[in-house]
Amino acid sequence: MSSTIPTARAINVPPPSAETLSAPQTPTSSSSLPASQPAAAAVDPQLKPPSSEHILPEGLSARRASRDSARHDGGSEDAPVRSRPTTPPRQSMPRVLSRTASRNSTGGPGASTDALGGEHLPMTPLTATLSSSSLSSDAQRPSGGAPGGAQVIAEQRRSSATGTEHSSALPRQPRDEISELTRGMPGAFHPLPRAEPDHGPRAPGGLASLHAATVPSPRDVNPRIDIDSLAHKLPGDITGCAAYMLSAMRQGPEDIPALERLATQQAAVLQSRGIHTRDDFVAVLKKVQWRDQGTAMMHGMTSASGFNLGTIPVNLKLADLTLGALAKAMPTLPIAVPALITGAIMGFALSMLDVAAGAAAGRTFKDAYFTRPPGEQLPEPLASANPPTKASLAADNSKAAGIGYGGRNAVVRVAPMLNYELKGQPEKRAAVDGVLDPAFGFAAGGVMRAVKNDYDVSAGRAGFQHFLARDDLGACLDHLNKPAAEQILSAAARVGTHMKNLKDTFPEALGDVFASKVGWTSHAILSAGFGGLTAMVASLPTTLRQGYGLSEKEANITTQMLKYVVLQALYHVWGGALGAVGGPKAPDPAAVSHA
């Protein structure tokens, strides 16, 4: 049986006379009817109401109850038909009456008869509205009764629904109370509309941006995340887009003629590669941005490869063997002394590996960036724009080292240390930390390089404006249009290039390790830093237990936390010192170190 409630159907009854509708009538016996049309057959027995639940208005239900009571008391089915009262009955809560479906001998739904032969009229089902379309469909449905019967029943149904003011028969607008109550609340399904952010006026088209009273800053044309915000500032033409981006390189009025020629030339290159609209232009910038971010990660990981590869044997066995041998050779000295020597030796060795790896990495990634082209690929006035100073490089490198390596420790190393120390497993903690340190050290080097590049973009030493100023812009666009598989293979080919560069730059690497200011600065800082750190880790737990009454677990946790504090300070000092020593003659000290 279908679960849907069918629409009420017309009943085959003779149309009532005008007297029946207008005034009370005298009882009519069944004998007064024609013999061919008995009273029980006044309604088509094949039409039975479907089995469903109907909501009856108060007036209709009262009349139904009155009629059933009269039959129960022995009254005749042919009781007089009362006229409808002019005053509508009192409105009350609708009641639900369910009737069991019945099927006569001929089958088919329709009117059903009770035990006394009375007729059960199917009532209007519960619907959202009683539309005129449903009434008209009832009127048009064929019936076996006299002509006009369907229209009369439909009219009666409409009149009954209107007279009782039943809510289901009156048109109403759908209302979502939950949405109304929660509108504007945090987490609501339909929050109040937010005002669109004001992106400011759009830049003028053509070359007008180069003549503006104020030019955008390097960060204005290089948003960190949302490049779409830049799209709201760009003009609609490609020449205007190129001019606006290049205007960030304007230092004074004397730069305008060169920038005009460059904007016109590069706009023609862009259009020759199918870039004709602002949306095309922004799509190219998005590709350039995420590729350069990936290149920065690979660059930093490669530069830090010497340090992190050397950390593996140091953490696993070399440091312990060296400390044990020195402790046996100095039995009368405190453990801090052989630990200091061991840390200094390990720090010096790791610094040499780090500096040596920088030469090959610098050559491998020299031309790998889109937004950091070599100076020879930029016009002469722009090749040395915004050179760094010792102070700026020191600040940038210090922050980048702290974010890269300090962030690695906070995210990866601290939680396992606390876990194993709280469980009383210091040996297992040392073994796990010895693996996590170099494994995530590569990622830390990549993050450090990405942060440094971001600082260079903010200073105007790199960015989209440098990409658009390249003399090989057409070749770069052709590379971006290659299939993804071909671009991946091109990136993988740099691995082989790097291995070759390791061999070719070996003499240069030796010079950087033993005959450069940056190299010896790194050696001094890492030797002293790791020496002091190793001495602290070896001696502090005993001091805390004996001098301050801490338990072994508390002493170990305190020592390890202080270790990470000292390491954080060491990272900042090391990075800042390399930046100060390397600038300004060495704008990119990563050529000799990954700092």
Side-chain angles (χ1 to χ4, degrees):
M1 179 181 295
S2 174
S3 61
T4 57
I5 301 177
T7 307
R9 301 173 58 184
I11 302 174
N12 297 328
V13 297
S17 61
E19 293 80 7
T20 301
L21 298 175
S22 61
Q25 297 181 3
T26 59
T28 305
S29 63
S30 60
S31 60
S32 63
L33 295 174
S36 60
Q37 194 174 5
V43 180
D44 188 355
Q46 297 184 4
L47 300 178
K48 297 182 179 181
S51 175
S52 59
E53 293 186 355
H54 304 284
I55 294 180
L56 302 180
E58 181 68 20
L60 296 180
S61 63
R63 286 191 292 169
R64 173 66 58 80
S66 176
R67 188 189 65 180
D68 292 344
S69 176
R71 291 177 180 173
H72 181 71
D73 296 339
S76 172
E77 179 184 353
D78 300 326
V81 179
R82 293 186 177 89
S83 61
R84 182 175 178 178
T86 57
T87 303
R90 180 175 56 86
Q91 179 69 28
S92 63
M93 293 298 294
R95 294 179 294 177
V96 178
L97 301 180
S98 62
R99 294 187 293 273
T100 305
S102 62
R103 187 173 296 273
N104 57 18
S105 58
T106 59
S112 64
T113 58
D114 55 18
L116 299 178
E119 176 191 357
H120 287 186
L121 299 179
M123 307 309 297
T124 304
L126 177 62
T127 55
T129 57
L130 187 61
S131 61
S132 59
S133 61
S134 62
L135 295 175
S136 62
S137 63
D138 286 343
Q140 295 173 2
R141 187 178 290 113
S143 62
Q151 290 82 351
V152 173
I153 295 300
E155 181 63 26
Q156 288 179 348
R157 189 177 301 136
R158 183 189 296 108
S159 175
S160 174
T162 306
T164 58
E165 300 179 359
H166 190 261
S167 60
S168 65
L170 300 177
R172 60 183 179 182
Q173 296 296 329
R175 179 183 179 187
D176 188 350
E177 296 183 358
I178 296 179
S179 298
E180 293 178 2
L181 292 174
T182 60
R183 185 176 299 276
M185 297 175 60
F189 292 104
H190 301 284
L192 293 175
R194 297 180 180 179
E196 290 293 331
D198 184 12
H199 299 283
R202 195 177 292 277
L207 301 175
S209 297
L210 298 173
H211 297 270
T214 58
V215 296
S217 67
R219 182 53 67 187
D220 289 338
V221 297
N222 291 275
R224 284 189 172 93
I225 299 176
D226 186 16
I227 297 185
D228 292 330
S229 62
L230 175 63
H232 293 286
K233 301 177 182 179
L234 294 174
D237 61 303
I238 294 300
T239 301
C241 290
Y244 177 76
M245 301 295 289
L246 292 173
S247 66
M249 307 179 79
R250 194 188 82 183
Q251 300 294 320
E254 64 279 3
D255 296 331
I256 294 179
L259 290 175
E260 284 183 334
R261 292 191 298 270
L262 183 62
T264 304
Q265 171 186 330
Q266 303 300 68
V269 174
L270 291 168
Q271 291 173 340
S272 68
R273 266 61 177 189
I275 303 170
H276 301 287
T277 65
R278 178 174 57 244
D279 292 339
D280 297 337
F281 184 77
V282 173
V284 171
L285 298 185
K286 289 181 178 180
K287 291 181 181 180
V288 168
Q289 185 182 56
W290 76 261
R291 280 170 171 78
D292 270 11
Q293 289 173 346
T295 301
M297 289 295 297
M298 295 301 299
H299 185 185
M301 293 170 67
T302 304
S303 297
S305 60
F307 186 95
N308 289 291
L309 290 175
T311 303
I312 297 176
V314 169
N315 287 353
L316 293 181
K317 207 67 176 176
L318 186 58
D320 292 338
L321 292 176
T322 305
L323 178 59
L326 291 175
K328 289 181 180 180
M330 307 174 184
T332 59
L333 296 177
I335 189 63
V337 176
L340 176 64
I341 299 174
T342 300
I345 294 173
M346 298 300 111
F348 186 83
L350 293 176
S351 178
M352 288 193 300
L353 292 173
D354 176 59
V355 173
R363 181 176 297 188
T364 300
F365 290 90
K366 181 180 180 180
D367 58 348
Y369 292 95
F370 288 103
T371 59
R372 297 170 61 88
E376 60 268 16
Q377 292 181 340
L378 292 175
E380 183 59 31
L382 308 177
S384 57
N386 304 315
T389 63
K390 289 182 178 292
S392 66
L393 275 180
D396 292 349
N397 282 5
S398 177
K399 290 182 289 185
I403 293 173
Y405 287 93
R408 181 271 314 265
N409 291 345
V411 174
V412 177
R413 300 177 67 184
V414 173
M417 179 274 295
L418 292 174
N419 176 53
Y420 289 114
E421 289 292 352
L422 290 174
K423 292 180 179 179
Q425 300 174 340
E427 295 81 7
K428 193 170 184 178
R429 183 269 309 161
V432 172
D433 188 68
V435 175
L436 295 177
D437 180 17
F440 288 90
F442 289 96
V447 172
M448 180 179 175
R449 168 51 61 180
V451 173
K452 282 193 58 182
N453 287 359
D454 183 73
Y455 291 150
D456 286 342
V457 170
S458 298
R461 294 188 289 270
F464 292 137
Q465 69 273 28
H466 290 261
F467 166 70
L468 293 172
R470 298 179 65 127
D471 59 7
D472 61 343
L473 177 62
C476 293
L477 295 173
D478 293 338
H479 180 77
L480 291 173
N481 290 329
K482 291 180 180 179
E486 190 172 347
Q487 294 187 46
I488 294 174
L489 292 176
S490 176
R494 287 193 180 271
V495 176
T497 303
H498 181 66
M499 300 304 295
K500 181 177 182 299
N501 289 334
L502 286 173
K503 176 183 175 181
D504 295 342
T505 60
F506 184 73
E508 181 182 351
L510 288 178
D512 293 336
V513 170
F514 297 109
S516 69
K517 292 189 298 182
V518 171
W520 281 107
T521 301
S522 176
H523 304 337
I525 293 174
L526 292 184
S527 296
F530 283 121
L533 184 64
T534 306
M536 183 196 76
V537 172
S539 61
L540 186 59
T542 302
T543 303
L544 293 176
R545 290 196 305 267
Q546 296 177 357
Y548 296 91
L550 271 65
S551 65
E552 181 180 358
K553 182 185 300 184
E554 293 172 342
N556 289 340
I557 292 177
T558 302
T559 301
Q560 291 298 315
M561 293 302 295
L562 286 175
K563 179 185 76 173
Y564 292 120
V565 173
V566 173
L567 280 173
Q568 186 69 32
L570 181 60
Y571 298 147
H572 287 292
V573 172
W574 171 68
L578 294 182
V581 172
K585 293 182 179 180
D588 188 6
V592 294
S593 173
H594 68 278

